[in-house]
Amino acid sequence: MTDPVFPRLALIGIGLIGASIALATRRSGAAGHVAIHSRTAKTLERAEELGLGDSYHADPADAVKDADCVILCIPVGASGAATKAIARHLKPGATISDVGSVKASVIAQMAPHLPANVHLVPAHPVAGTEYSGPDAGFAALFDNRWCILTPPPEADPAAVARLLDFWSRLGANVETMTAEHHDLVLAITSHVPHLIAYNIVGTAADLETVTQSEVMKFSAGGFRDFTRIAASDPTMWRDIFLNNREAVLEMLGRFTEDLTALQRLIRYGEGDKLYDLFARTREIRRGIIAAGQAIDAADLDRPHGKDDDEAG
C-alpha cells in the first residue's frame, strides 16, 4: 500500500469537485483522513450520508485543524473570505490550494490572509459536468484530465511537488504555468464558450416565434450541447466572469471580430473559404479526441445532484 501524500486533507466545500476529490482520494489512498466542511447543514448531512469523508465539520476552523493540505472547493469569489476565516487555524507547513477556474484573482484574494509558514499552491482541475452538489461527485472525474497548478514565484518547491503528486494519484495529468497564462488560456478554451452557450440558449428562449415546446422538441445535437453547457452552476460562472474579466473580454473581442468575418463569408457566398474554415476546425476536434480529452458520455450522464453553491 502506497503511503498517503497528505496524512490529513481538509475540503472546504463539497459540491461536484469537492465530492469527486473525496471519492478519488479514497480510491487512491492519497490522503489518510478526509475532513469535510460545508456552510450548508443540509449539504454537510448529505455528504455524511454518502460517506464522502472521515469527519464532518460545521465550523471550517475545526475542519482545517491539523490538516496537511486544505483545498477550497467553493466559487472563486468566496476564496478571500474563506481563507481569512481559516488562516489562523492552519497548521504550520500546511499546503492550501483551491479548484477555481480563475487563478490570478484567487491568488490576490487568498495570499494576503495567509501566514508565512503556510504554502499557497493554487490548482485548477479541468474537469466537470453540468451537475452540482455532493451527489454529483464520482471518483473517475479526473482520470486522464488535466490539472493545472499555478504556484506563485515564491512558492515552496517541495509543497508544489507534493500537490502535483496528490493530483497525479487522483488520476490527473498535471501541468504547471503562471496564473496569468492560465487565465488567458482558460478564457478561450472554457470561459468564452460558456458565455456563448449562455447567450445562444437565452436567445432561443427569447424568440417569440419559437415556442418553448418547439425548442425542446426540435433540439438538434448542436443546440442540445449548448444547453448542457448553459446548465452549469450559475454562482460559479458568475464569479468566473467577474474575476477573469480582462482575459474574457480580450478573447470575446477576438471572437466577435472572427464572427463578423464569418458573417461576410456567408453574405457573399464565399463557399471555398467557409469550407477551409470548417475543415481546419474539424482537425482541431480530431486532435482533442486523439489526445484523450473528448468528454466521455459517462461524464455527461451522471445522476443530477442536489443544487448548492459550492464549486461543481
Side-chain angles (χ1 to χ4, degrees):
M1 179 70 69
T2 305
D3 291 336
V5 180
F6 299 111
R8 184 180 177 95
L9 170 69
L11 300 176
I12 305 301
I14 195 68
L16 165 67
I17 299 298
S20 296
I21 291 174
L23 292 167
T25 298
R26 185 182 299 278
R27 181 187 68 175
S28 65
H33 180 103
V34 177
I36 292 174
H37 161 74
S38 173
R39 66 181 185 83
T40 306
K42 185 177 179 181
T43 301
L44 192 62
E45 290 171 5
R46 184 56 181 158
E48 187 167 6
E49 290 171 359
L50 293 168
L52 296 178
D54 298 293
S55 62
Y56 305 87
H57 308 271
D59 187 342
D62 292 336
V64 305
K65 183 180 179 182
D66 296 325
D68 303 281
C69 180
V70 176
I71 302 179
L72 305 185
C73 305
I74 56 180
V76 294
S79 299
T83 304
K84 184 178 180 180
I86 62 175
R88 66 187 181 91
H89 304 284
L90 295 172
K91 176 182 177 179
T95 297
I96 184 166
S97 188
D98 76 310
V99 296
S101 183
V102 180
K103 298 270 69 90
S105 173
V106 164
I107 292 174
Q109 291 180 64
M110 294 177 67
H113 302 297
L114 294 173
N117 59 3
V118 170
H119 307 299
L120 173 60
V121 186
H124 175 208
V126 188
T129 73
E130 71 271 35
Y131 302 131
S132 60
D135 289 85
F138 57 107
L141 178 63
F142 311 113
D143 288 354
N144 199 33
R145 304 300 181 210
W146 286 98
C147 182
I148 303 171
L149 306 186
T150 63
E154 68 278 7
D156 177 56
V160 176
R162 282 193 298 272
L163 195 64
L164 189 154
D165 186 21
F166 174 79
W167 277 106
S168 296
R169 293 269 291 272
L170 267 55
N173 307 312
V174 187
E175 178 134 341
T176 302
M177 63 181 66
T178 67
E180 291 75 18
H181 186 67
H182 166 278
D183 290 353
L184 191 64
V185 169
L186 267 293
I188 190 60
T189 61
S190 176
H191 303 167
V192 168
H194 273 80
L195 194 65
I196 293 167
Y198 283 123
N199 193 63
I200 197 167
V201 173
T203 298
D206 289 341
L207 282 174
E208 295 181 1
T209 56
V210 179
T211 68
Q212 185 178 9
S213 62
E214 287 173 331
V215 170
M216 300 291 186
K217 183 176 179 180
F218 300 117
S219 289
F223 185 75
R224 187 169 60 245
D225 288 344
F226 275 124
T227 62
R228 179 186 63 79
I229 296 171
S232 299
D233 182 77
T235 300
M236 181 178 71
W237 281 99
R238 176 202 64 193
D239 284 5
I240 287 170
F241 291 126
L242 293 179
N243 285 276
N244 197 28
R245 69 183 71 194
E246 291 184 8
V248 167
L249 290 173
E250 169 65 21
M251 291 300 105
L252 193 59
R254 296 189 185 194
F255 173 80
T256 302
E257 292 171 3
D258 291 341
L259 191 61
T260 300
L262 181 60
Q263 184 179 14
R264 286 198 298 268
L265 295 182
I266 296 171
R267 183 181 300 277
Y268 296 113
E270 300 279 358
D272 290 344
K273 292 181 180 179
L274 286 172
Y275 179 88
D276 290 343
L277 172 63
F278 300 157
R280 180 161 58 91
T281 57
R282 186 183 192 188
E283 288 305 310
I284 292 172
R285 171 62 180 175
R286 288 174 172 173
I288 291 172
I289 294 172
Q293 295 304 304
I295 296 177
D296 297 326
D299 285 1
L300 302 181
D301 295 331
R302 302 300 301 173
H304 198 299
K306 296 179 181 179
D307 289 337
D308 66 284
D309 62 357
E310 294 169 335

